[in-house]
Amino acid sequence: TIMLDIVELNKIADETGLTHHKGMGQVIQAHILLTLVDFFGDIPYTEAFQGAANLNPVADSGASVYAAAIGLLDSAIANFNADALGDPALDMYYDGDWAAWTKAANTIKMKAYMASRLVDGSAVSNFNAIVASGNYISSTDDDMQFQWGTNAVQPDSRHPRYRDSYTSTGGGDYMSNSLMDYMRGGPNGGYDVAGGTFTADPRIMFYYNRQASSTPGIAGAPADEEVLECGLQNAPAHYAGYVFCGNPQGWWGRDHGNDNGIPPDGFYRALAGVYPAGGKLDDWSYGGQQDGAGNGGNGITPIMLASWTDFMIGELELVAGNEAAAKDAMFFGMAKSMNKVTNFYPRTNRFDGIMAFFFGGLDQVINDFYARISDEWDDAADKMNVLGMQYFVA
């Protein structure tokens, strides 16, 4: 329906000289088209949106749709730079800052060039030209993101992942076991209060909110067949090297492909945290899944972030053979992501107090994490895997 709305918007904008309205629609339309191609390959475009006149539009090649999307972004930039006979009364992204909209359009173009660099001989030079211009999202102040609210009914304006996690009947969504495992630092990661060590990615405390301090049957915790049956089972052979069933210390999700029935674990499984869903910060208080907990769903949906741009720049540096510049760009992206996540909402006194008392403070934990990733980069045979995973986490 977004695409259909934009088709109708364009008709009105062309008739009335609302060039800025049209530019906004073109940016959103281009982003949707690029995303559809990334997921599905060839998709209908030139014959689409004709209603009953064509109920079976043919699919265009992904390459042609990519080219059309880039063309839309170029047109959007021209429209942002043109005089308009009127501006939107409400701009939910940049509050009428057309320079910021232009940066967003250029950054989405950078993503398109990056995705097509193996099949488009001009993609890398086009990407580098935007970087050289400086007219792209390079500061978190220009991040393109949708801001959700806290209203629960008529309409429900809360972040969708919050709605699925914080209910009167417990969590309704499962978090990713594999991502939690990676952010913990693997089987031996997490933290050790007695030893004063925190070996996980600090963002894990913001991405997820644990309802329990342990995971049944995992890492020596007592098993509970009713809420986590696989905690009584040995990992199948094909899981070698991968997390099975759940992570220790309450980072409790569900394996992809597990087709067993849903157990009564709604008040135990890990939930979406404070970032980006506007949920509850994990400050070792556990629980807190009820409606309105945490920040009430006042989160964001990130669309294009400054940190992501640094990772893209790092990828091209690595392809060009400049490992030092690639590492620098990766750490620029990590730092922007870390700062955005850990300062997304004011942290609780409990969180900062525990971090300070047991682990030397959040800043120390972050610096230790950076040191581990630096060593991982230096030791990696394929450094693109290190950069790619950090991009994925961010």
Side-chain angles (χ1 to χ4, degrees):
T1 59
I2 294 174
M3 299 289 269
L4 289 172
D5 287 344
I6 291 171
V7 169
E8 296 305 313
L9 165 72
N10 288 344
K11 296 176 184 176
I12 299 169
D14 287 339
E15 292 171 357
T16 55
L18 300 178
T19 56
H20 293 163
H21 287 73
K22 186 172 182 178
M24 294 165 71
Q26 288 170 322
V27 170
I28 293 169
Q29 186 180 17
H31 186 271
I32 292 171
L33 289 172
L34 294 169
T35 304
L36 287 171
V37 172
D38 290 348
F39 273 98
F40 299 109
D42 298 344
I43 62 166
Y45 178 61
T46 56
E47 293 187 6
F49 318 120
Q50 298 178 27
N54 187 350
L55 297 176
N56 191 28
V58 299
D60 298 284
S61 70
S64 68
V65 177
Y66 248 61
I70 292 172
L72 285 169
L73 293 166
D74 287 334
S75 295
I77 292 169
N79 281 323
F80 294 141
N81 289 321
D83 292 331
L85 296 182
D87 280 337
L90 177 63
D91 174 358
M92 294 177 136
Y93 294 93
Y94 291 119
D95 196 25
D97 184 342
W98 309 116
W101 271 102
T102 298
K103 289 181 180 180
N106 275 328
T107 309
I108 296 171
K109 285 172 63 178
M110 291 169 67
K111 181 177 182 292
Y113 292 138
M114 182 61 65
S116 57
R117 66 176 174 81
L118 297 180
V119 294
D120 179 357
S122 63
V124 171
S125 61
N126 288 333
F127 181 98
N128 287 331
I130 296 175
V131 174
S133 75
N135 197 14
Y136 62 93
I137 297 174
S138 58
S139 166
T140 54
D141 292 339
D142 293 323
D143 282 350
M144 189 179 192
Q145 59 194 33
F146 184 83
Q147 180 69 53
W148 297 91
T150 58
N151 205 57
V153 293
Q154 298 182 337
D156 188 340
S157 67
R158 301 171 299 171
H159 194 289
R161 299 200 75 182
Y162 182 91
R163 301 174 208 165
D164 289 339
S165 280
Y166 296 83
T167 76
S168 58
T169 56
D173 216 359
Y174 281 104
M175 302 296 106
S176 166
N177 269 344
S178 58
L179 182 56
M180 288 189 288
D181 175 65
Y182 179 76
M183 294 184 73
R184 283 185 65 254
N188 299 316
Y191 59 85
D192 177 8
V193 172
T197 58
F198 192 104
T199 54
D201 182 334
R203 290 170 292 185
I204 197 172
M205 308 299 289
F206 298 79
Y207 281 22
Y208 305 105
N209 172 40
R210 293 170 299 156
Q211 298 190 87
S213 60
S214 62
T215 310
I218 307 298
D224 186 337
E225 183 178 15
E226 183 180 16
V227 293
L228 196 64
E229 181 183 12
C230 60
L232 292 163
Q233 302 168 358
N234 293 321
H238 64 276
Y239 269 83
Y242 296 92
V243 61
F244 171 68
C245 186
N247 293 284
Q249 298 180 315
W251 281 294
W252 171 349
R254 185 176 173 93
D255 283 2
H256 182 71
N258 183 344
D259 61 356
N260 291 339
I262 303 299
D265 62 354
F267 294 105
Y268 304 102
R269 67 177 80 152
L271 307 175
V274 63
Y275 181 90
K280 187 174 179 289
L281 171 65
D282 189 336
D283 61 1
W284 289 273
S285 58
Y286 308 112
Q289 77 295 320
Q290 62 269 27
D291 290 336
N295 288 289
N298 189 24
I300 62 165
T301 294
I303 299 172
M304 286 303 302
L305 304 184
S307 59
W308 303 354
T309 312
D310 287 324
F311 290 112
M312 289 192 287
I313 292 171
E315 179 177 337
L316 276 194
E317 294 286 7
L318 194 55
V319 169
N322 193 339
E323 293 185 358
K327 183 178 183 180
D328 286 344
M330 180 183 76
F331 270 92
F332 290 148
M334 289 169 59
K336 287 175 184 173
S337 172
M338 188 72 69
N339 186 62
K340 185 180 183 76
V341 170
T342 59
N343 294 290
F344 191 58
Y345 284 112
R347 299 186 299 270
T348 65
N349 291 333
R350 177 183 174 86
F351 177 89
D352 283 339
I354 289 176
M355 276 288 182
F357 187 81
F358 293 106
F359 309 117
L362 179 59
D363 288 344
Q364 182 63 53
V365 167
I366 291 172
N367 288 334
D368 290 344
F369 170 70
Y370 289 159
R372 289 193 296 277
I373 299 300
S374 180
D375 290 342
E376 183 180 345
W377 171 277
D378 293 342
D379 295 339
D382 187 351
K383 299 184 189 304
M384 191 68 81
N385 282 337
V386 182
L387 187 148
M389 282 306 297
Q390 285 305 313
Y391 189 177
F392 185 71
V393 170

